[in-house]
Amino acid sequence: MQPVVKTMVVRRSPEDAFRLFTAEIARWWPLATHHLSPAPPVACAVEPAVGGRIFETAADGSERDWGRVTIW
């Protein structure tokens, strides 16, 4: 299986772009329409380390993993 690769040019420093993509994922991710939980979603996050989860949290407190961080 091949990984999904997306490339884009942004007008920000690499450090700022990385922070926005990871630490502030809830700010830009369309959680209302792109989630896995049957309960209404309330948050999504990236754990900032190799092996960390990329996940969502639902209104009932349940969490659903979307993936794992492989490079940090």
Side-chain angles (χ1 to χ4, degrees), residues 40-55:
V42 295
C44 59
V46 176
E47 294 176 335
V50 172
R53 298 179 306 149
I54 305 165
F55 66 102

Side-chain angles (χ1 to χ4, degrees), residues 20-62:
L20 287 169
F21 184 75
T22 58
E24 297 188 29
I25 188 172
R27 187 171 153 192
W28 60 267
W29 185 262
L31 192 57
T33 57
H34 293 72
H35 60 89
L36 299 175
S37 301
V42 295
C44 59
V46 176
E47 294 176 335
V50 172
R53 298 179 306 149
I54 305 165
F55 66 102
E56 69 185 52
T57 304
D60 64 4
S62 64

